[in-house]
Amino acid sequence: MRDKYSFVPDPVAPPSHHGRRDEISALFGINKNMRKRHSTEAANALAQNLAVAADFNAIHTALHTYEKVHLNGGGNWPRLKGALLLRYRGVLDFVDNLPHSSDCFMRVGGIRAKVGTVFFGEGRFHLIGRPLLAHNDVYHRHGDNNVPPRHYISLTTSATHVKRFVTRGLSAFDAMAITQGRPLRSVLGTVNAQLTEVGGAFMHGVGAGIALTEAQQILTHTRGWGGNKRYISTGVSNRPALSTRGIPFVSMYGVVTVDLALVPAATIFDVHRHDVASAWLGLPATDVLNNGHHTNTGDIAEQQYLGLRDTIRTRELLIKGSIPIAALHRTSAGRVLLGLGSTTNLMHDGHAKRRVNGFGDGGTEHLISTLAPGIRGTIVGQDHMSFRDPHTNLRWHFLEFNAPGAVVAAQLVLQPLLAGRNMVAFEKFTPIRPPGMV
């Protein structure tokens, strides 16, 4: 189930064997393209099924179908090896150098010679060095023909290699931090259990204040219990991550590229691979193939199962605690975002106090109504936080404008009405793709 392997032709194979060598290489290429096509077809089918899903049950049927197809759609080395040996019976044989590789030999004109090597798992990578000021070494994959080759790093937390460059869809607080030249920070900075993640049969069976294991913290993160996120989510896939409601995660605040070579490896946790996610969550990935949407057991094992399903869709690497500002590759669209913050649920509008629990509630709506029509027409997005920012203890409503000048104009109008409340203009970011990010 989703074996990792790649064939690298031997450059010093005898000229008499080049034809056979190229045939084998082409067959591995066809196998890889078939798997890519299968993955694309599964993603397209999921999008089509979600578009016509009428209720929550239909959404979960579509998501679970995709998850099973994804798990079954990867490489299968024993099956491919068997097919090659059958096709080239008496001509082809493999000499295993397990666990990392297998040499491929072919017989031409009575002469047996090596024509290539199949690399498996973590054996597919070779060290190229460590960049200046980096925490981690950088690796290439054997036989990578991209120019330049894709970069990888090795993780101490799972003994696996992952892409060096990943993406982060920013939160408002992320974008504020980057604007101010500060690192990104996780929502929660303690490993101690919170009241919103313990108790009952389906949460952690420890008392509040007790230190959680790494696996327990990862389960909390994947299930989103109480917003107690000790990790910063990043994505390894070019496809959007989907929530349990089948909705793509799209950020109003922009996206950045994260260089994992500049992030301490001990803080990076891989949950995008089914085998690694299974180890952290304590359940085999085959459960996703054998069970339904839920296990209906109402216990911690069911939550682990749902968390495992989540990882298949979100394809995340988790970074614990913080991400250095130096690790973020981005360009700025300017200060087109405006945050209105309050220390209470109320915001003074100049005449009366009105609740600020969402747009259209009176408070924020009244503030926006004080803007001239020309300024209101430059608002292209809004977002409201229903919870307090744990770092500032403020509640926020955010506006996106189409140009920095519109933000300045709005600030001039709103400033006299805020009565000491917070107003912050900050930047929106778009990612840069460095060399080695393929």
Side-chain angles (χ1 to χ4, degrees), residues 2-7 77 97-102 118-126 139-142 152-153 158-162 273 275:
R2 302 200 69 81
D3 295 334
K4 303 288 187 179
Y5 53 84
S6 58
F7 177 78
W77 170 239
N97 307 302
L98 298 179
H100 294 308
S101 66
S102 182
V118 184
F119 291 96
F120 307 117
E122 306 316 307
R124 294 172 299 147
F125 304 94
H126 63 95
Y139 296 77
H140 286 169
R141 196 169 56 196
H142 289 295
Y152 297 84
I153 67 162
S158 57
T160 57
H161 292 78
V162 297
R273 277 179 46 169
D275 54 339

Side-chain angles (χ1 to χ4, degrees), residues 243-262:
S243 73
T244 54
R245 296 184 178 274
I247 300 172
F249 294 113
V250 179
S251 172
M252 186 177 90
Y253 311 100
V255 179
V256 296
T257 297
V258 181
D259 182 355
L260 296 181
L262 301 181

Side-chain angles (χ1 to χ4, degrees), residues 2 38 41-42 64-74 289:
R2 302 200 69 81
H38 185 271
E41 290 171 350
H64 193 212
T65 298
Y66 168 77
E67 292 154 11
K68 290 186 289 186
V69 170
H70 173 79
L71 287 174
N72 280 324
L289 303 177

Side-chain angles (χ1 to χ4, degrees), residues 37-284:
R37 185 169 65 249
H38 185 271
S39 177
T40 299
E41 290 171 350
N44 291 341
L46 174 60
Q48 293 169 5
N49 291 334
L50 289 175
V52 297
D55 54 31
F56 192 68
N57 186 64
I59 291 172
H60 263 275
T61 296
L63 294 175
H64 193 212
T65 298
Y66 168 77
E67 292 154 11
K68 290 186 289 186
V69 170
H70 173 79
L71 287 174
N72 280 324
N76 186 322
W77 170 239
R79 183 169 59 192
L80 177 59
K81 179 181 179 181
L84 290 172
L85 289 173
L86 181 62
R87 177 168 180 160
Y88 293 99
R89 186 166 41 200
V91 175
L92 169 70
D93 67 284
F94 293 96
V95 176
D96 291 336
N97 307 302
L98 298 179
H100 294 308
S101 66
S102 182
D103 291 329
C104 177
F105 289 84
M106 299 205 68
R107 189 174 298 277
V108 177
I111 300 174
R112 178 179 177 270
K114 179 181 172 183
V115 296
T117 302
V118 184
F119 291 96
F120 307 117
E122 306 316 307
R124 294 172 299 147
F125 304 94
H126 63 95
L127 176 67
I128 62 169
R130 179 171 296 193
L132 183 67
L133 303 180
H135 289 278
N136 306 313
D137 293 331
V138 173
Y139 296 77
H140 286 169
R141 196 169 56 196
H142 289 295
D144 189 344
N145 295 320
N146 292 299
V147 181
R150 176 179 281 159
H151 289 190
Y152 297 84
I153 67 162
S154 178
L155 298 185
T156 58
T157 53
S158 57
T160 57
H161 292 78
V162 297
K163 294 177 183 178
R164 173 184 176 182
F165 299 106
V166 293
T167 57
R168 164 70 179 171
L170 299 175
S171 71
F173 309 122
D174 290 338
M176 285 185 186
I178 298 172
T179 299
Q180 297 166 8
R182 296 185 287 108
L184 305 190
R185 289 190 294 173
S186 60
V187 173
L188 193 62
T190 176
V191 302
N192 294 337
Q194 307 297 295
L195 284 172
T196 48
E197 59 183 332
V198 300
F202 62 91
M203 287 191 178
H204 302 306
V206 300
I210 301 299
L212 297 175
T213 66
E214 205 75 59
Q216 289 172 321
Q217 295 169 58
I218 288 174
L219 178 59
T220 284
H221 184 95
T222 60
R223 299 305 297 140
W225 287 338
N228 297 313
K229 293 186 177 291
R230 299 171 176 86
Y231 309 87
I232 302 168
S233 296
T234 67
V236 304
S237 175
N238 292 325
R239 298 192 178 100
L242 296 177
S243 73
T244 54
R245 296 184 178 274
I247 300 172
F249 294 113
V250 179
S251 172
M252 186 177 90
Y253 311 100
V255 179
V256 296
T257 297
V258 181
D259 182 355
L260 296 181
L262 301 181
V263 178
T267 67
I268 306 171
F269 296 83
D270 180 9
V271 294
H272 93 283
R273 277 179 46 169
H274 75 275
D275 54 339
V276 180
S278 293
W280 284 118
L281 295 173
L283 291 176

